[in-house]
Amino acid sequence: TPAVGLVEFRNVTFGYPGAERPVLDNVSFTAEPGKTTAIVGSTGAGKTSLINLIPRLYDPQQGEVLIDGVPVSSLTRAQVSSVVGLVSQKPYLFSGTIASNLRFGRASATDDDLWEALRVAQGEDFVRNKAKGLDDPISQGGTNVSGGQRQRLCIARALVAKPRVYLFDDSFSALDVSTDARLREALGEVTGDATVIIVAQRVSSITDADQILVVDDGVIVGRGTHEELVERNETYRQIVES
Ligand code: DCP
Ligand code: MG
């Protein structure tokens, strides 16, 4: 049966190999299909560590991460990757063309699929302005495009793969506020019943999320909607005001 994409953390504790203290301590939450879960918290709080456990970049020492009730520890990375699309905090482009970077993970995508993903990711205009369009060269690490363009190409790449679970790790930070707003609106239209998890520095990006998790020093110290958290969570208020 095709995956639905329900993501569940059950009492997850994780520390990097060799480290004294865990960076995540007894984290539990559920991220539901068709909904957006946002993760906020100060730098070093453990947000990236948390979402990197979903595609098994690391495995927790205690507890379990599950997708549709199946522990990801029982799946290979390739199996998880077919369900989960991660746009990492340091978006990575490899030497090739725009098209080859976007098709990574879904070789069968047509040019129309790539343009549609670029439209949503707000990358259509800059790619159209390239001399060779989709066939324009990308250098190793994407050093020949700007940080914001790199982010948008990596977002488009995730969209091309059409995963059940989208993970955006601070993926909108290099975008100006209006591009950010347009992108998230278009994203909301195409992600449909997929599960969306967004790590955000800019709280204005996620005030409309169905659920917001506030992470502080590896612990979830608050959860709720923006309105609920503004009302009753001091850590969240501090992030909003900062
Ligand atoms: N850490 C580590 N080894 C790594 C990555 C991180 O020891 N390979 C540590 C650094 C932090 C803690 O883990 O003390 C949490 O790091 P995260 O990258 O998970 O933190 P955030 O993503 O929340 O921070 P930022 O907002 O800066 O991205
Ligand atoms: Mg991070």
Side-chain angles (χ1 to χ4, degrees):
T1 50
V4 173
L6 176 75
V7 174
E8 205 181 335
F9 274 55
R10 281 191 201 151
N11 305 103
V12 168
T13 294
F14 168 69
Y16 287 96
E20 271 176 39
R21 290 175 71 236
V23 293
L24 297 172
D25 184 10
N26 199 26
V27 168
S28 298
F29 70 91
T30 303
E32 290 180 12
K35 303 216 162 146
T36 298
T37 295
I39 301 174
V40 300
S42 55
T43 183
K47 305 179 296 296
T48 295
S49 306
L50 188 159
I51 70 167
N52 282 352
L53 294 178
I54 302 170
R56 293 199 66 198
L57 299 188
Y58 295 93
D59 287 324
Q61 281 81 17
Q62 286 172 46
E64 238 161 12
V65 177
L66 305 103
I67 298 178
D68 299 332
V70 177
V72 293
S73 58
S74 71
L75 304 172
T76 63
R77 272 204 203 162
Q79 286 172 320
V80 187
S81 298
S82 70
V83 183
V84 176
L86 169 66
V87 181
S88 64
Q89 191 168 14
K90 292 204 179 78
Y92 188 74
L93 297 173
F94 52 83
S95 166
T97 63
I98 290 175
S100 66
N101 270 277
L102 297 184
R103 275 203 184 89
F104 184 77
R106 184 169 277 234
S108 62
T110 65
D111 282 5
D112 283 349
D113 294 335
L114 306 190
W115 284 116
E116 166 60 10
L118 286 166
R119 180 189 67 80
V120 174
Q122 309 300 309
E124 191 179 359
D125 289 351
F126 95 81
V127 176
R128 286 217 190 275
N129 287 331
K130 294 282 188 189
K132 294 183 178 170
L134 289 172
D135 294 323
D136 226 63
I138 294 288
S139 56
Q140 186 70 19
T143 50
N144 62 331
V145 295
S146 76
Q149 290 170 342
R150 216 176 297 148
Q151 271 190 327
R152 283 178 278 173
L153 290 175
C154 289
I155 293 165
R157 173 197 284 156
L159 289 162
V160 167
K162 293 189 166 52
R164 292 300 314 165
V165 179
Y166 287 93
L167 306 175
F168 296 106
D169 190 353
D170 204 18
S171 302
F172 316 124
S173 59
L175 309 178
D176 61 69
V177 173
S178 64
T179 306
D180 180 1
R182 279 201 306 277
L183 193 155
R184 280 175 307 98
E185 184 172 349
L187 202 58
E189 285 163 12
V190 298
T191 50
D193 58 2
T195 304
V196 178
I197 302 180
I198 297 179
V199 171
Q201 290 287 347
R202 194 152 55 202
V203 170
S204 65
S205 301
I206 51 88
T207 50
D208 57 351
D210 298 292
Q211 162 181 242
I212 300 169
L213 307 175
V214 186
V215 181
D216 188 22
D217 201 12
V219 178
I220 295 183
V221 297
R223 66 186 79 203
T225 62
H226 173 75
E227 288 71 25
E228 288 165 352
L229 290 165
V230 165
E231 186 81 5
R232 58 172 159 78
N233 190 275
E234 184 54 33
T235 311
Y236 188 73
R237 273 200 294 269
Q238 280 170 13
I239 294 167
V240 171
E241 283 157 17
S242 66

